[in-house]
Short mmCIF file of all heavy atoms in Angstrom, two decimals:
data_model
loop_
_atom_site.label_atom_id
_atom_site.label_comp_id
_atom_site.label_asym_id
_atom_site.label_seq_id
_atom_site.Cartn_x
_atom_site.Cartn_y
_atom_site.Cartn_z
N MET A 468 0.84 -1.23 -0.05
CA MET A 468 0.00 0.06 0.00
C MET A 468 0.87 1.24 0.12
O MET A 468 1.99 1.28 0.49
CB MET A 468 -0.88 0.03 1.18
CG MET A 468 -2.06 0.97 1.14
SD MET A 468 -3.16 0.95 2.64
CE MET A 468 -3.72 -0.79 2.50
N ASP A 469 0.32 2.28 -0.52
CA ASP A 469 1.00 3.57 -0.67
C ASP A 469 0.56 4.49 0.56
O ASP A 469 -0.63 4.80 0.72
CB ASP A 469 0.69 4.19 -1.91
CG ASP A 469 1.31 5.62 -2.19
OD1 ASP A 469 2.07 5.90 -1.37
OD2 ASP A 469 1.03 6.25 -3.20
N ILE A 470 1.55 4.94 1.33
CA ILE A 470 1.34 5.83 2.46
C ILE A 470 0.52 7.01 1.96
O ILE A 470 -0.34 7.58 2.82
CB ILE A 470 2.51 6.23 3.17
CG1 ILE A 470 3.14 5.05 3.90
CG2 ILE A 470 2.31 7.32 4.16
CD1 ILE A 470 4.60 5.40 4.36
N GLN A 471 0.80 7.54 0.82
CA GLN A 471 0.12 8.75 0.34
C GLN A 471 -1.29 8.54 -0.02
O GLN A 471 -1.93 9.63 -0.24
CB GLN A 471 0.95 9.23 -0.90
CG GLN A 471 2.45 9.51 -0.67
CD GLN A 471 3.19 9.44 -1.90
OE1 GLN A 471 3.66 10.56 -2.38
NE2 GLN A 471 3.28 8.24 -2.59
N GLN A 472 -1.79 7.33 -0.19
CA GLN A 472 -3.22 7.12 -0.59
C GLN A 472 -3.58 5.70 -0.04
O GLN A 472 -3.54 4.74 -0.70
CB GLN A 472 -3.29 7.17 -2.13
CG GLN A 472 -4.78 7.08 -2.54
CD GLN A 472 -4.88 7.27 -4.13
OE1 GLN A 472 -3.81 7.39 -4.81
NE2 GLN A 472 -5.99 7.22 -4.58
N MET A 473 -3.91 5.64 1.33
CA MET A 473 -4.16 4.59 1.95
C MET A 473 -5.67 4.08 1.86
O MET A 473 -6.62 4.94 1.77
CB MET A 473 -3.77 4.58 3.54
CG MET A 473 -2.18 4.69 3.59
SD MET A 473 -1.81 4.56 5.35
CE MET A 473 -2.08 6.36 5.78
N ASP A 474 -5.95 2.81 1.96
CA ASP A 474 -7.23 2.22 1.79
C ASP A 474 -8.11 2.17 3.08
O ASP A 474 -9.28 1.81 3.08
CB ASP A 474 -7.20 0.76 1.24
CG ASP A 474 -6.51 0.86 -0.20
OD1 ASP A 474 -6.68 1.77 -0.86
OD2 ASP A 474 -6.04 -0.32 -0.59
N PHE A 475 -7.41 2.55 4.23
CA PHE A 475 -8.16 2.44 5.47
C PHE A 475 -9.10 3.48 5.65
O PHE A 475 -8.89 4.62 5.26
CB PHE A 475 -7.11 2.42 6.69
CG PHE A 475 -5.88 1.42 6.47
CD1 PHE A 475 -4.67 2.00 6.27
CD2 PHE A 475 -6.26 0.08 6.52
CE1 PHE A 475 -3.65 0.99 6.05
CE2 PHE A 475 -5.17 -0.78 6.35
CZ PHE A 475 -3.97 -0.34 6.23
N PRO A 476 -10.17 3.27 6.35
CA PRO A 476 -11.07 4.38 6.77
C PRO A 476 -10.51 5.28 7.79
O PRO A 476 -9.45 5.08 8.41
CB PRO A 476 -12.21 3.50 7.40
CG PRO A 476 -12.09 2.11 7.16
CD PRO A 476 -10.55 2.00 7.01
N ASP A 477 -11.17 6.43 7.87
CA ASP A 477 -10.70 7.50 8.77
C ASP A 477 -10.78 6.85 10.25
O ASP A 477 -11.59 5.98 10.58
CB ASP A 477 -11.70 8.68 8.77
CG ASP A 477 -11.67 9.46 7.43
OD1 ASP A 477 -10.97 9.05 6.57
OD2 ASP A 477 -12.44 10.35 7.27
N ASN A 478 -9.84 7.38 11.10
CA ASN A 478 -9.84 7.05 12.48
C ASN A 478 -9.73 5.54 12.71
O ASN A 478 -10.53 4.99 13.62
CB ASN A 478 -11.13 7.54 13.13
CG ASN A 478 -11.45 9.10 12.92
OD1 ASN A 478 -10.45 9.81 12.89
ND2 ASN A 478 -12.68 9.47 12.71
N SER A 479 -8.81 4.97 11.95
CA SER A 479 -8.68 3.38 12.12
C SER A 479 -7.67 3.04 13.13
O SER A 479 -7.69 1.87 13.63
CB SER A 479 -8.27 2.95 10.76
OG SER A 479 -9.16 2.97 9.85
N PHE A 480 -6.67 3.94 13.44
CA PHE A 480 -5.51 3.41 14.29
C PHE A 480 -5.30 4.29 15.58
O PHE A 480 -5.45 5.48 15.54
CB PHE A 480 -4.20 3.42 13.40
CG PHE A 480 -4.24 2.30 12.25
CD1 PHE A 480 -4.66 2.89 10.95
CD2 PHE A 480 -4.03 1.02 12.48
CE1 PHE A 480 -4.79 1.96 9.90
CE2 PHE A 480 -4.12 0.24 11.51
CZ PHE A 480 -4.48 0.62 10.14
N ASP A 481 -4.82 3.59 16.63
CA ASP A 481 -4.43 4.15 17.90
C ASP A 481 -3.02 4.69 17.74
O ASP A 481 -2.81 5.76 18.26
CB ASP A 481 -4.46 3.16 19.01
CG ASP A 481 -5.84 2.53 19.16
OD1 ASP A 481 -6.73 3.28 19.71
OD2 ASP A 481 -6.02 1.48 18.93
N TYR A 482 -2.19 4.04 17.08
CA TYR A 482 -0.85 4.58 16.74
C TYR A 482 -0.40 4.29 15.43
O TYR A 482 -0.84 3.32 14.71
CB TYR A 482 0.13 3.88 17.68
CG TYR A 482 0.10 3.98 19.13
CD1 TYR A 482 -0.75 3.28 20.05
CD2 TYR A 482 0.76 5.12 19.79
CE1 TYR A 482 -0.91 3.54 21.33
CE2 TYR A 482 0.72 5.31 21.12
CZ TYR A 482 -0.18 4.53 21.84
OH TYR A 482 -0.28 4.67 23.38
N VAL A 483 0.40 5.08 14.85
CA VAL A 483 1.22 4.93 13.60
C VAL A 483 2.77 5.01 13.94
O VAL A 483 3.17 5.89 14.64
CB VAL A 483 0.77 5.91 12.56
CG1 VAL A 483 1.60 5.69 11.32
CG2 VAL A 483 -0.70 5.83 12.13
N VAL A 484 3.47 4.05 13.48
CA VAL A 484 4.92 4.06 13.67
C VAL A 484 5.55 4.21 12.30
O VAL A 484 5.21 3.58 11.28
CB VAL A 484 5.32 2.74 14.28
CG1 VAL A 484 6.84 2.60 14.32
CG2 VAL A 484 4.63 2.54 15.58
N SER A 485 6.62 5.05 12.25
CA SER A 485 7.42 5.16 10.98
C SER A 485 8.87 5.21 11.42
O SER A 485 9.19 5.95 12.29
CB SER A 485 7.05 6.28 10.17
OG SER A 485 7.52 7.50 10.59
N THR A 486 9.75 4.53 10.68
CA THR A 486 11.24 4.58 10.98
C THR A 486 11.93 4.86 9.59
O THR A 486 11.93 3.83 8.80
CB THR A 486 11.72 3.39 11.70
OG1 THR A 486 11.30 2.14 11.02
CG2 THR A 486 11.16 3.28 13.11
N CYS A 487 12.54 5.95 9.43
CA CYS A 487 13.27 6.28 8.28
C CYS A 487 12.42 6.02 7.03
O CYS A 487 12.85 5.28 6.09
CB CYS A 487 14.69 5.49 8.22
SG CYS A 487 15.80 6.19 9.35
N VAL A 488 11.27 6.53 7.01
CA VAL A 488 10.28 6.40 5.84
C VAL A 488 10.05 7.73 5.07
O VAL A 488 10.09 7.68 3.85
CB VAL A 488 8.94 5.96 6.58
CG1 VAL A 488 7.87 6.02 5.34
CG2 VAL A 488 9.07 4.57 7.12
N PHE A 489 10.05 8.82 5.80
CA PHE A 489 9.75 10.02 5.13
C PHE A 489 10.79 10.68 4.34
O PHE A 489 10.66 11.77 3.84
CB PHE A 489 8.92 11.05 6.07
CG PHE A 489 7.45 10.56 6.24
CD1 PHE A 489 7.25 9.80 7.32
CD2 PHE A 489 6.50 11.01 5.39
CE1 PHE A 489 5.84 9.37 7.53
CE2 PHE A 489 5.26 10.54 5.50
CZ PHE A 489 4.89 9.82 6.75
N CYS A 490 11.86 10.11 4.28
CA CYS A 490 13.01 10.36 3.43
C CYS A 490 12.67 9.87 2.03
O CYS A 490 13.24 10.40 1.07
CB CYS A 490 14.35 9.78 3.87
SG CYS A 490 14.37 8.09 4.18
N SER A 491 11.75 8.99 1.96
CA SER A 491 11.62 8.27 0.65
C SER A 491 10.19 8.57 0.00
O SER A 491 9.97 8.35 -1.09
CB SER A 491 11.75 6.68 0.81
OG SER A 491 13.03 6.46 1.34
N VAL A 492 9.17 8.85 0.84
CA VAL A 492 7.89 9.16 0.35
C VAL A 492 7.94 10.39 -0.66
O VAL A 492 8.39 11.42 -0.34
CB VAL A 492 6.98 9.58 1.57
CG1 VAL A 492 5.56 9.87 0.99
CG2 VAL A 492 6.91 8.37 2.60
N PRO A 493 7.54 10.13 -1.84
CA PRO A 493 7.58 11.15 -2.91
C PRO A 493 6.96 12.57 -2.40
O PRO A 493 7.59 13.60 -2.73
CB PRO A 493 6.81 10.60 -4.14
CG PRO A 493 6.96 9.19 -4.01
CD PRO A 493 6.91 8.81 -2.53
N ASP A 494 5.83 12.51 -1.83
CA ASP A 494 5.21 13.71 -1.37
C ASP A 494 4.97 13.55 0.12
O ASP A 494 4.02 13.06 0.57
CB ASP A 494 3.76 13.98 -2.05
CG ASP A 494 3.20 15.37 -1.81
OD1 ASP A 494 3.59 15.77 -0.78
OD2 ASP A 494 2.32 15.75 -2.31
N PRO A 495 5.93 13.84 0.96
CA PRO A 495 5.97 13.66 2.45
C PRO A 495 4.74 14.25 3.09
O PRO A 495 4.12 13.76 3.98
CB PRO A 495 7.26 14.25 2.94
CG PRO A 495 7.68 15.05 1.85
CD PRO A 495 7.18 14.56 0.62
N VAL A 496 4.33 15.53 2.66
CA VAL A 496 3.25 16.20 3.27
C VAL A 496 2.01 15.55 3.12
O VAL A 496 1.24 15.34 3.88
CB VAL A 496 3.18 17.70 2.80
CG1 VAL A 496 1.91 18.43 3.43
CG2 VAL A 496 4.41 18.50 3.18
N ARG A 497 1.69 15.01 1.80
CA ARG A 497 0.62 14.21 1.47
C ARG A 497 0.52 13.02 2.34
O ARG A 497 -0.58 12.59 2.85
CB ARG A 497 0.49 13.90 -0.03
CG ARG A 497 -0.75 13.23 -0.39
CD ARG A 497 -0.66 12.98 -1.93
NE ARG A 497 -1.73 12.17 -2.44
CZ ARG A 497 -2.03 11.81 -3.63
NH1 ARG A 497 -1.20 12.17 -4.58
NH2 ARG A 497 -3.08 11.00 -3.94
N GLY A 498 1.69 12.33 2.40
CA GLY A 498 1.76 11.11 3.20
C GLY A 498 1.35 11.35 4.72
O GLY A 498 0.63 10.57 5.45
N LEU A 499 2.03 12.47 5.20
CA LEU A 499 1.69 12.76 6.65
C LEU A 499 0.10 13.13 6.92
O LEU A 499 -0.39 12.77 7.95
CB LEU A 499 2.57 13.96 7.06
CG LEU A 499 4.06 13.51 7.42
CD1 LEU A 499 4.92 14.73 7.20
CD2 LEU A 499 4.15 12.86 8.71
N ARG A 500 -0.37 13.84 5.89
CA ARG A 500 -1.82 14.06 6.02
C ARG A 500 -2.65 12.88 6.07
O ARG A 500 -3.73 12.69 6.74
CB ARG A 500 -2.25 15.04 4.96
CG ARG A 500 -1.77 16.41 5.01
CD ARG A 500 -2.16 17.42 3.90
NE ARG A 500 -1.61 18.68 4.14
CZ ARG A 500 -1.40 19.51 3.08
NH1 ARG A 500 -1.50 19.21 1.88
NH2 ARG A 500 -1.04 20.87 3.38
N GLU A 501 -2.30 11.87 5.22
CA GLU A 501 -2.98 10.69 5.20
C GLU A 501 -2.84 9.91 6.63
O GLU A 501 -3.81 9.29 7.04
CB GLU A 501 -2.48 9.65 4.11
CG GLU A 501 -3.18 9.70 2.78
CD GLU A 501 -4.52 9.20 2.81
OE1 GLU A 501 -4.69 7.91 2.61
OE2 GLU A 501 -5.50 9.95 3.08
N ILE A 502 -1.66 9.91 7.21
CA ILE A 502 -1.60 9.44 8.48
C ILE A 502 -2.40 10.04 9.50
O ILE A 502 -3.11 9.51 10.31
CB ILE A 502 -0.01 9.45 8.91
CG1 ILE A 502 0.70 8.46 8.27
CG2 ILE A 502 0.06 9.28 10.46
CD1 ILE A 502 2.23 8.48 8.47
N GLY A 503 -2.57 11.43 9.47
CA GLY A 503 -3.47 12.11 10.31
C GLY A 503 -4.97 11.78 10.05
O GLY A 503 -5.74 11.61 11.02
N ARG A 504 -5.24 11.41 8.78
CA ARG A 504 -6.72 10.97 8.52
C ARG A 504 -6.95 9.53 9.18
O ARG A 504 -7.99 9.37 9.72
CB ARG A 504 -6.78 10.84 7.07
CG ARG A 504 -8.11 10.31 6.58
CD ARG A 504 -8.33 10.24 5.10
NE ARG A 504 -7.50 9.15 4.54
CZ ARG A 504 -7.90 7.86 4.69
NH1 ARG A 504 -9.05 7.44 5.27
NH2 ARG A 504 -7.08 6.86 4.21
N VAL A 505 -5.96 8.63 9.08
CA VAL A 505 -6.26 7.27 9.68
C VAL A 505 -6.04 7.15 11.08
O VAL A 505 -6.51 6.23 11.75
CB VAL A 505 -5.50 6.19 8.92
CG1 VAL A 505 -5.82 6.33 7.36
CG2 VAL A 505 -3.93 6.31 9.01
#
């Protein structure tokens, strides 16, 4: 799955973990917004 466009519904997770990930996401702000959504 792509962090920038995830298939999960809103408010799905208690925690999100990332380790050395946002150096590689093509659009990091979009990916971070998606994390905020889920």
Side-chain angles (χ1 to χ4, degrees):
M468 196 179 298
D469 180 4
I470 294 171
Q471 301 160 111
Q472 190 174 2
M473 292 186 277
D474 296 337
F475 306 115
D477 295 357
N478 307 325
S479 293
F480 297 98
D481 300 291
Y482 292 90
V483 177
V484 174
S485 76
T486 53
C487 286
V488 170
F489 283 92
C490 57
S491 304
V492 178
D494 187 338
V496 174
R497 181 176 177 179
L499 286 159
R500 285 176 179 154
E501 267 291 272
I502 285 177
R504 181 184 68 79
V505 302

